Amino acid sequence: MSGRIGSQRGSTQAGRHCRIDLGQVIPSLLPKGIASLPKAELHLHLEGSIQPATARALTARYGLEISEEDVRARYVYRNFTEFLEAFKWVTSYLREPRDYALVAHDLAEHLLSQNVVYAEVTLSVGVMLLRKQRPEANFEAILRETELFGSRGLRLNWIFDATRQFGPEAAMQVIAVARNIRSESIVAFGIGGDEMRVETQEFRPVYEKAAETGLHRLMHAGEVGGPAKIREAVELLGAERIGHGIAAMRDPALMDLLAERRIPLEICPASNVKTGALAQQLRRTDAPMEDHPLPQLYRHGIPVVLSTDDPAMFHTTLVEEYENARRMGLSANELAHLASMSFEHAFLTEAEKRKLLQVGNA
């Protein structure tokens, strides 16, 4: 989920899922060898990765002394609105390039600890522009801070993200920023935010400009919206991957389309449960992880790439998302296939993919 500033989507039934004891130790559900596999992550928001210790450091820079426990208390929600307020609160301390650098460094360390060798990280450039920041300076600081992680076995590329409810003109400004920076590490353009706001067709010129600029095209769709939002993203905008897309389970013809065209869904199970999106798609007041449609979508032949969305905000890691998939009933072979699909559908050349897998297996 991205572009949350001003967004009010999601269910108000999320709270019971979000009260997690961060200190409890739970035995891994993963079959032997899965946790150690080299991994890629393709749906991950930098701004949603701010761990309590990092949040404490950020607030201290601006005169607010709080404890990590205070931050953890803010990371507990009874509904989506409270989650939104926590997100707005913590990201309000991303004010200068050095703040983005700190968060990027912290994220890279966390990814390495999970044997992630490649990630496509989403930056909410539309929110930076809304806050009158200079995205070019923020991005330069991020690159400078993370470049040394390449020698440690982690490669990062970047997705510049616009916010749907800000409209097509604001989205076009995000593409202009990407074009001006001209970095090969900016591999895609996407739109997040409130998928129920602004008709999809209004973004057609934006996605045409993204393609002309040489950017891959992504879209958050079918998270809380219906299957039609996914179909529109594919057929009107040429989206190459769909963020979330769990509403596809309600439309067999759409599932066939996604499978035939090999359009991946970026599935983020913990996010879908904790925001209430899963319950909303199932038309219930509550839905456990075991009812997630990931197995149904995967076994229908739709490419699935497993991701965390906002890992700090949803108290999850990529390894834990593989455990969630195991809890849904996926076999060891299916989990291993999920891991390989995240490389297969990354925006990399085939040679680059092979190299990353060789490094990760070394």
Side-chain angles (χ1 to χ4, degrees), residues 172 175 178-179 187-190 203-218 236-240:
M172 197 71 84
I175 294 176
R179 187 173 62 247
V187 295
F189 165 80
F203 292 102
R204 291 187 75 168
V206 178
Y207 276 76
E208 290 169 359
K209 178 61 71 174
E212 291 173 11
T213 306
L215 297 171
H216 291 281
R217 291 154 293 168
L218 309 175
L236 298 180
L237 306 180
E240 299 167 68

Side-chain angles (χ1 to χ4, degrees), residues 37-344:
L37 284 175
K39 299 177 186 66
E41 180 157 17
L42 306 183
H43 188 117
L44 168 63
H45 298 279
L46 179 69
E47 296 86 351
S49 73
I50 304 175
Q51 300 290 335
T54 310
R56 181 176 181 273
L58 287 171
T59 60
R61 286 180 175 180
Y62 299 103
L64 177 62
E65 294 291 341
I66 60 174
S67 68
E68 291 182 35
E69 288 303 316
D70 291 331
V71 179
R72 291 190 180 95
R74 286 181 176 268
Y75 282 6
V76 174
Y77 333 108
R78 289 173 296 183
N79 52 55
F80 184 80
T81 300
E82 290 186 5
F83 163 73
L84 177 62
E85 290 305 312
F87 184 90
K88 291 167 67 175
W89 170 79
V90 73
T91 60
S92 73
Y93 291 96
L94 293 174
R95 302 177 184 180
E96 300 176 9
R98 62 176 184 153
D99 303 331
Y100 286 91
L102 174 64
V103 174
H105 181 98
D106 183 61
L107 173 60
E109 291 285 4
H110 277 80
L111 290 172
L112 277 175
S113 72
Q114 301 167 72
N115 207 28
V116 174
V117 299
Y118 178 72
E120 292 173 4
V121 184
T122 295
L123 296 178
S124 294
V125 175
V127 174
M128 294 180 191
L129 292 170
L130 178 72
R131 290 174 169 169
K132 309 301 182 184
Q133 297 176 356
R134 291 188 58 241
E136 297 87 351
N138 292 339
F139 190 61
E140 181 182 358
I142 289 169
L143 289 185
R144 189 166 55 247
E145 187 67 29
T146 57
E147 62 183 353
L148 293 179
F149 282 90
S151 64
R152 296 174 59 187
L154 174 64
R155 178 174 175 181
L156 299 175
N157 278 333
W158 305 90
I159 298 164
F160 275 22
D161 183 74
T163 303
R164 185 165 183 146
Q165 61 266 29
F166 295 174
E169 184 176 341
M172 197 71 84
Q173 292 174 5
V174 173
I175 294 176
V177 171
R179 187 173 62 247
N180 291 339
I181 293 175
R182 295 183 179 179
S183 170
E184 291 184 357
S185 66
I186 305 171
V187 295
F189 165 80
I191 291 182
D194 188 345
E195 63 181 298
M196 308 310 292
R197 301 269 296 278
V198 187
E199 292 296 324
T200 304
Q201 63 185 4
E202 294 190 32
F203 292 102
R204 291 187 75 168
V206 178
Y207 276 76
E208 290 169 359
K209 178 61 71 174
E212 291 173 11
T213 306
L215 297 171
H216 291 281
R217 291 154 293 168
L218 309 175
M219 184 59 139
H220 285 57
E223 181 183 11
V224 296
K229 295 296 183 182
I230 302 171
R231 188 178 292 275
E232 290 169 0
V234 172
E235 297 186 339
L236 298 180
L237 306 180
E240 299 167 68
R241 292 197 316 245
I242 297 294
H244 299 285
I246 58 174
M249 66 178 171
R250 293 164 42 196
D251 186 340
L254 176 61
M255 292 173 64
D256 290 342
L257 174 71
L258 296 171
E260 290 165 5
R261 297 193 186 180
R262 304 296 295 161
I263 297 174
L265 300 181
E266 302 162 351
I267 299 291
C268 309
S271 169
N272 299 152
V273 170
K274 293 172 185 175
T275 62
L278 176 59
Q280 187 167 336
Q281 293 294 348
L282 294 172
R283 296 180 172 86
R284 302 178 190 166
T285 59
D286 186 24
M289 185 66 68
E290 290 78 4
D291 289 347
H292 198 284
L294 187 158
Q296 173 190 0
L297 299 167
Y298 168 79
R299 290 166 182 163
H300 196 83
I302 300 170
V304 168
V305 294
L306 197 59
S307 297
T308 60
D309 199 7
D310 301 292
M313 305 297 289
F314 296 131
H315 314 295
T316 192
T317 67
L318 189 56
V319 170
E320 288 172 359
E321 296 293 11
Y322 277 89
E323 292 177 345
N324 286 333
R326 179 64 167 176
R327 189 175 292 114
M328 298 171 205
L330 267 66
S331 69
N333 286 340
E334 288 173 324
L335 293 174
H337 188 212
L338 281 183
S340 70
M341 280 197 292
S342 289
F343 289 97
E344 178 183 348

